[in-house]
Amino acid sequence: MSRIEQLIDEIEEYIDSCKYQPLSSTKILVNKEELEELLVELRLRIPDEIKQYQKIISNQEAILNEARSQADTMVAEATAQTNELVNEHEIMQRAYAHANEVIEQANAQAQAIVDNAVTDANNIRQGAVQYTDDMLRSLQTIINHTMDGAKGRFDAFMTSMQSSYDIVSSNRNELAGGIVREEEPASGETPAEG
């Protein structure tokens, strides 16, 4: 940043820091001496910097021409070196190109083999999963039928047992009405012999 730009910034900061005049939002109170000092320095700096900028502008064309000349020379040298290298290594470049083609073909074949192997493996895995699921489904069906059959037989057995239990209970109840129980002798007495 040039000194002129710095002075302009300082003037702006100074103006921003000034207080407003009473009952006004646009007019400010400034220290005349301080502002005049900044403006005097600004006036003194402007001619020097303008001269420097004019010198740079006048030399600009010469600087650009020299830069273009150097760039053209460098490009010409680089082009000459590139042409020499191309001529010297043309056979090597062809060999590299052929080698690259062979490598690309080998990579393509290898990728095709890998892709086919992955596809085959996925198909075999899917088939194995499907076969296992089919076997488990069959086993599940067999177990379910077996459980249904066993439950039916168990229910029939329980019904038969309940029926037998009910008959035994009924017979005991009938007998209970006809049984006369003898009184138990008091302690110390012997039962009468008959």
Side-chain angles (χ1 to χ4, degrees), residues 6 10 12 19 34 36 44-45 47 50-51 56 60 66 82 85 90 121 125 135 137 150-151 163 175 186:
Q6 289 175 351
E10 288 176 20
E12 288 175 345
K19 295 182 179 179
E34 193 172 337
E36 283 178 347
L44 291 174
R45 293 285 182 172
I50 288 175
K51 287 176 189 173
I56 290 170
Q60 178 180 2
E66 186 178 344
T82 302
L85 290 172
E90 189 174 333
R125 184 181 64 80
M135 291 290 99
R137 186 183 310 109
K151 185 177 183 302
S163 175
L175 288 175

Side-chain angles (χ1 to χ4, degrees), residues 6-181:
Q6 289 175 351
L7 285 168
I8 292 171
D9 287 346
E10 288 176 20
I11 292 171
E12 288 175 345
E13 288 173 11
Y14 174 72
I15 291 172
D16 289 342
S17 69
C18 289
K19 295 182 179 179
Y20 286 101
Q21 216 174 27
L23 304 175
S24 174
S25 61
T26 56
K27 295 181 181 179
I28 58 171
L29 300 173
V30 296
N31 183 331
K32 184 178 178 185
E33 290 178 8
E34 193 172 337
L35 186 56
E36 283 178 347
E37 286 176 15
L38 291 170
L39 291 172
V40 167
E41 188 178 352
L42 181 61
R43 283 191 190 101
L44 291 174
R45 293 285 182 172
I46 287 175
D48 290 338
E49 291 203 13
I50 288 175
K51 287 176 189 173
Q52 288 177 355
Y53 293 142
Q54 286 173 341
K55 187 176 181 182
I56 290 170
I57 290 169
S58 64
N59 289 336
Q60 178 180 2
E61 194 62 36
I63 292 169
L64 287 173
N65 286 337
E66 186 178 344
R68 283 190 195 109
S69 174
Q70 288 178 356
D72 290 342
T73 302
M74 288 172 27
V75 167
E77 289 175 2
T79 302
Q81 288 178 352
T82 302
N83 288 336
E84 287 178 21
L85 290 172
V86 167
N87 291 334
E88 289 174 5
H89 299 291
E90 189 174 333
I91 295 173
M92 186 180 292
Q93 288 173 347
R94 288 180 186 169
Y96 281 139
H98 182 66
N100 285 335
E101 287 176 12
V102 171
I103 289 170
E104 286 176 10
Q105 289 175 358
N107 284 338
Q109 289 175 353
Q111 188 61 47
I113 291 169
V114 168
D115 291 345
N116 289 337
V118 168
T119 301
D120 290 347
N122 285 338
N123 290 339
I124 291 169
R125 184 181 64 80
Q126 189 62 36
V129 168
Q130 186 62 48
Y131 175 77
T132 303
D133 185 55
D134 291 345
M135 291 290 99
L136 290 174
R137 186 183 310 109
S138 296
L139 183 59
Q140 189 176 16
T141 302
I142 291 168
I143 290 172
N144 193 33
H145 288 315
T146 303
M147 286 170 54
D148 288 345
K151 185 177 183 302
R153 287 191 298 276
F154 181 74
D155 288 347
F157 173 73
M158 287 304 292
T159 301
S160 172
M161 291 297 289
Q162 186 66 46
S163 175
S164 298
Y165 178 80
D166 292 344
I167 292 170
V168 169
S169 293
S170 174
N171 289 341
R172 283 194 67 218
N173 287 337
E174 287 177 16
L175 288 175
I179 296 177
V180 176
R181 296 190 185 269

